[in-house]
Amino acid sequence: MSQLSEQQCEACSWDASHVTEAEIEQYKAEIPEWQIIERDGIMKLERVYTFRNFKQALDFTNRVGEIAEEAGHHPALLTEWGKVTVTWWSHEMKGLHRNDFILAARTDEVAK
Ligand SMILES: C[C@H](O)[C@H](O)[C@H]1CNC2=NC(N)=NC(=O)C2=N1
């Protein structure tokens, strides 16, 4: 199986399948710095990246925006001085899909 970041996203839909516990365990191994959180009753993936200043944080934010647009799958992004919080979940199905893990792995790629 190819690296998570190289896998293809599926179209988002309300009835798509949520990841199973086993899948979470498998995918999480590739993105160990990400937290699985529950907010407003919805499971999400979240990671905080730190930077030397606001400009670097903003540049990273824009790079994440580009991969989101490419994939048609979008995160919540909180951009602050020296810090960006990235949160992935599948809005329509209100939970975690394989897409979210793929995009989290791609987010780690653009952070390098
Ligand atoms: C119409 C548009 O394709 C959909 O709203 C897409 C946009 N980006 C999305 N991003 C995420 N994270 N979840 C979605 O369900 C989603 N749906």
Side-chain angles (χ1 to χ4, degrees):
M1 172 100 50
S2 69
Q3 297 278 336
L4 257 185
S5 62
E6 293 157 12
Q7 292 180 30
Q8 290 305 311
C9 286
E10 297 166 24
C12 296
S13 66
W14 64 272
D15 61 349
S17 43
H18 293 240
V19 285
T20 63
E21 283 299 318
E23 285 171 324
I24 288 174
E25 204 171 312
Q26 176 192 343
Y27 299 152
K28 190 69 180 61
E30 283 198 52
I31 50 167
E33 295 87 359
W34 288 76
Q35 303 296 319
I36 294 187
I37 59 166
E38 184 170 331
R39 197 173 288 146
D40 308 324
I42 299 173
M43 299 280 281
K44 303 181 179 183
L45 279 171
E46 189 158 281
R47 183 177 177 183
V48 177
Y49 294 85
T50 55
F51 301 92
R52 286 207 299 265
N53 52 46
F54 187 79
K55 169 89 173 65
Q56 287 190 359
L58 191 56
D59 290 347
F60 170 71
T61 301
N62 287 319
R63 291 200 303 276
V64 177
E66 281 162 21
I67 65 169
E69 278 296 285
E70 243 168 59
H73 198 71
H74 303 85
L77 293 163
L78 174 59
T79 303
E80 302 169 89
W81 193 98
K83 196 168 133 179
V84 178
T85 303
V86 184
T87 310
W88 288 102
W89 77 101
S90 293
H91 308 156
E92 287 169 35
M93 55 178 269
K94 295 187 182 349
L96 281 176
H97 185 276
R98 190 171 69 109
N99 290 347
D100 301 305
F101 289 85
I102 291 171
L103 269 297
R106 290 186 189 170
T107 305
D108 284 344
E109 296 289 317
V110 298
K112 287 177 184 163

